[in-house]
Amino acid sequence: MLTAVKHPEVLAPAGTPEKLKVAIDYGADAVYIGGDAYGLRSRAGNFSFAEMKSGADYAHQHGAKVYVAANIVAHEQNLAGAGSFYRQVRDAGIDAVIVSDPSLIETAITEAPGLKVHLSTQASATNYETLNFWQNEGLERVVLAREVGIAEIKEMRQHTDVQIEAFVHGAMCIGYSGRCVLSNHLSLRDANRGGCAQNCRWKYDLFDLPDLGQKRELVGHGPDGKAEKFSMSAVDMSMIEHIPDLVEAGVDSLKIEGRMKTVHYVSTVANVYSTAVRKYCADPANYQLDPAWVDELWKVAQRELSTGFYYGTPNEEFQLFGQRRRLPHYAFVGEVLAYDAATRQVTVQQRNNFGIGDQIEFYGPNFSHHTQAVTDLFDEDDQAIDRAPHAMQVVHFTCAQPVQPGDFVRAQARH
C-alpha cells in the first residue's frame, strides 16, 4: 500500500515584500520575485537588493526559499551589468535565479559562482534531452514549457533526475511558452523584456475581404448565442483537481502564476495548494479532493479555469469567448490586526468598503475559515459607524469565533 510520498514544493508568486510574507505565511514552500532588471514583469512591485535580503531572511527563518526571475530575452543593450546583478542577488541570500537567455545563464554561472540557476519556461523545454542538456550545463532545475502534458512529464522523469518545475495555476499566455511579439507590434512594449501590454486580452474585430475595396465585419456568437467580438485570450489554469497526477508524474515544484496579482489571490491560492499537497503526500491511498478547495479558488478567479495542455491540446472551450460560466462573488475587505478573546472584538484594517449587514468570511493559514454577519462596527475612536468606507481604515467589531493576526476577511459581493 502506498503511504507517504515525496512532498513537491508549492511555489507562489510574490510581487512585493508584503506578498512574499503572505505567501509563506499561507503555506508556500518557496516564492519567486523580480528584481529591478532582467525580469518579465516590469510593472510588478519589484525588489531592491535590500528587499531581496530581507525577504530571503524571512523565508529562511520559516523554512522557505526565494527565487529571482531574471528571464528576459536579452538584446545587446541588456547585457551590460548582468554579472554585477547576479552577484548582488547571490549575496542577498537568494536561493536561485530563473533565466531563459543562454548568454545570461552563462553570465550567472561564471560571474556569480554559487548562485543556482533554474531554466525559465520562456526557454520552451519540452523533452528530456533538453532537460539533460541544461543539467549538463550546470542548471539545477528546469521550468517546463506550458505546452507539456502529464504523459510527457512522466517520460521525462524516467530519463532525467534534474528538478522539474511546472505551472499549475494562474493566467496562461497565448504565445508559445510566453514568447510573444504582439505587444511590441501593437503597443511598442516588448513582452519579452518585461513590457507586456496584455494585447491578447483585448476584443478584436474580424473582417472578410471578398473583393478589393470590400470589407464585411464578421461577428462571433458566444455560448449564449449573443453576438460578440473575437478574442484570442486563453482562460486561466487550475490543476487543483489533479494533484495526484502531478506528484506521481514526478513534478518537483508546483508553480502558481501571478506576481502582479493581489494579496487576496496570493494568500488564497497558496493556502489551497499547500493544503491539498500536504494532505495527498501524507496519505495518498486515502486522499480525496475537497470540493471546498475548488470553491475557494473561484473566490479569486479572474477568468474561466482549465487544465491547459496537461491532458491534450486545448480547444475553443479553453478560450475567453462568450458569457462567463462562473463569476467570483467575494471581495477582499480587510486584514486582522488583533483579537480580544475576553470581549470577542476583532480589530481589522480595511482594504475595501464593508459594513453592518454584510456577510463576511474570515480565512487564515492551514485552510481555517468561518463566516458571519457584521452586526456592529466601531472606528478607531470607538464611535459606532454603519460602514468602513475609507482605505486602510482601522475598525473593530464583534467576531463570533477566535481569529489570528494576519488572517484575512472577505465580503460577499453586493448585487
Side-chain angles (χ1 to χ4, degrees):
M1 177 182 293
L2 187 63
T3 55
V5 296
K6 179 184 176 182
H7 189 298
E9 172 185 270
V10 174
L11 175 58
T16 65
E18 179 191 22
K19 294 173 189 175
L20 179 149
K21 292 180 179 179
V22 166
I24 293 169
D25 291 347
Y26 277 74
D29 303 296
V31 297
Y32 62 101
I33 66 176
D36 291 332
Y38 304 106
L40 285 178
R41 289 292 180 268
S42 60
R43 290 176 294 158
N46 293 316
F47 286 60
S48 67
F49 293 118
E51 289 171 330
M52 286 185 191
K53 184 179 188 312
S54 177
D57 289 345
Y58 185 85
H60 298 160
Q61 290 166 9
H62 292 79
K65 295 181 178 181
V66 180
Y67 311 133
V68 169
N71 51 346
I72 66 168
V73 176
H75 291 230
E76 291 296 338
Q77 63 267 32
N78 302 125
L79 298 176
S84 174
F85 175 83
Y86 288 128
R87 285 191 294 274
Q88 291 183 80
V89 167
R90 177 199 61 192
D91 295 345
I94 297 300
D95 295 281
V97 63
I98 307 167
V99 193
S100 66
D101 192 292
S103 65
L104 292 177
I105 290 173
E106 183 177 20
T107 299
I109 292 173
T110 58
E111 297 200 29
L115 177 62
K116 294 179 180 179
V117 180
H118 297 172
L119 186 73
S120 169
T121 189
Q122 302 288 124
S124 302
T126 58
N127 58 76
Y128 67 79
E129 291 90 347
T130 295
L131 271 62
N132 285 330
F133 169 84
W134 285 112
Q135 184 178 35
N136 292 336
E137 291 296 308
L139 273 64
E140 174 189 60
R141 177 183 296 184
V142 171
V143 187
L144 297 180
R146 302 186 190 190
E147 296 75 27
V148 173
I150 284 288
E152 294 174 301
I153 297 175
K154 290 180 179 179
E155 184 176 4
M156 291 177 185
R157 185 77 289 165
Q158 294 173 1
H159 294 90
T160 183
D161 60 0
V162 71
Q163 292 180 22
I164 291 176
E165 181 178 308
F167 279 91
V168 299
H169 194 93
M172 293 292 103
C173 182
I174 200 69
Y176 197 96
S177 291
R179 293 177 296 165
C180 177
V181 296
L182 188 65
S183 176
N184 210 345
H185 178 69
L186 294 179
S187 310
L188 298 179
R189 288 168 50 176
D190 192 345
N192 299 304
R193 287 190 284 176
C196 182
Q198 301 278 313
N199 304 73
C200 64
R201 307 296 185 192
W202 302 354
K203 297 290 185 180
Y204 289 88
D205 285 331
L206 184 66
F207 297 94
D208 179 24
L209 305 175
D211 296 300
L212 184 64
Q214 293 183 333
K215 183 171 73 171
R216 184 178 66 219
E217 184 177 13
L218 302 176
V219 179
H221 290 82
D224 56 1
K226 294 182 179 179
E228 182 178 271
K229 292 182 178 180
F230 293 92
S231 169
M232 66 182 78
S233 180
V235 303
D236 289 357
M237 175 184 287
S238 177
M239 286 291 286
I240 190 61
E241 298 181 51
H242 306 280
I243 295 298
D245 286 355
L246 292 164
V247 178
E248 293 166 16
V251 178
D252 297 287
S253 179
L254 309 182
K255 188 169 194 171
I256 299 163
E257 182 276 338
R259 278 195 288 136
M260 295 180 67
K261 299 287 181 63
T262 64
V263 168
H264 183 206
Y265 172 91
V266 171
S267 59
T268 299
V269 181
N271 209 1
V272 169
Y273 277 88
S274 63
T275 299
V277 168
R278 184 176 64 252
K279 288 185 177 295
Y280 174 74
C281 292
D283 189 6
N286 294 302
Y287 172 82
Q288 289 186 327
L289 173 74
D290 188 339
W293 301 337
V294 179
D295 290 341
E296 187 80 354
L297 293 177
W298 274 106
K299 294 174 183 177
V300 294
Q302 292 188 323
R303 305 179 183 95
E304 299 292 333
L305 300 176
S306 78
T307 55
F309 285 81
Y310 278 110
Y311 299 101
T313 302
N315 58 24
E316 65 276 8
E317 292 296 318
F318 291 57
Q319 297 297 116
L320 279 180
F321 189 74
Q323 185 176 358
R324 287 186 54 145
R325 294 181 291 275
R326 188 168 178 178
L327 293 169
H329 56 278
Y330 279 83
F332 176 47
V333 299
E335 178 181 1
V336 174
L337 300 180
Y339 177 76
D340 187 328
T343 63
R344 297 199 305 160
Q345 289 288 299
V346 61
T347 302
V348 170
Q349 185 177 63
Q350 182 260 36
R351 299 296 181 92
N352 273 298
N353 190 327
F354 76 100
I356 292 176
D358 288 349
Q359 290 291 323
I360 61 172
E361 177 184 43
F362 290 89
Y363 72 96
N366 299 313
F367 212 68
S368 63
H369 291 75
H370 88 262
T371 59
Q372 68 169 72
V374 180
T375 57
D376 54 13
L377 191 61
F378 303 89
D379 64 16
E380 287 184 276
D381 298 322
D382 208 30
Q383 297 297 308
I385 56 177
D386 292 328
R387 301 201 67 76
H390 306 301
M392 308 301 282
Q393 181 178 10
V394 175
V395 298
H396 66 93
F397 55 94
T398 302
C399 184
Q401 297 182 32
V403 291
Q404 300 294 324
D407 287 358
F408 289 133
V409 190
R410 302 184 180 108
Q412 289 189 358
R414 290 171 171 251
H415 299 287

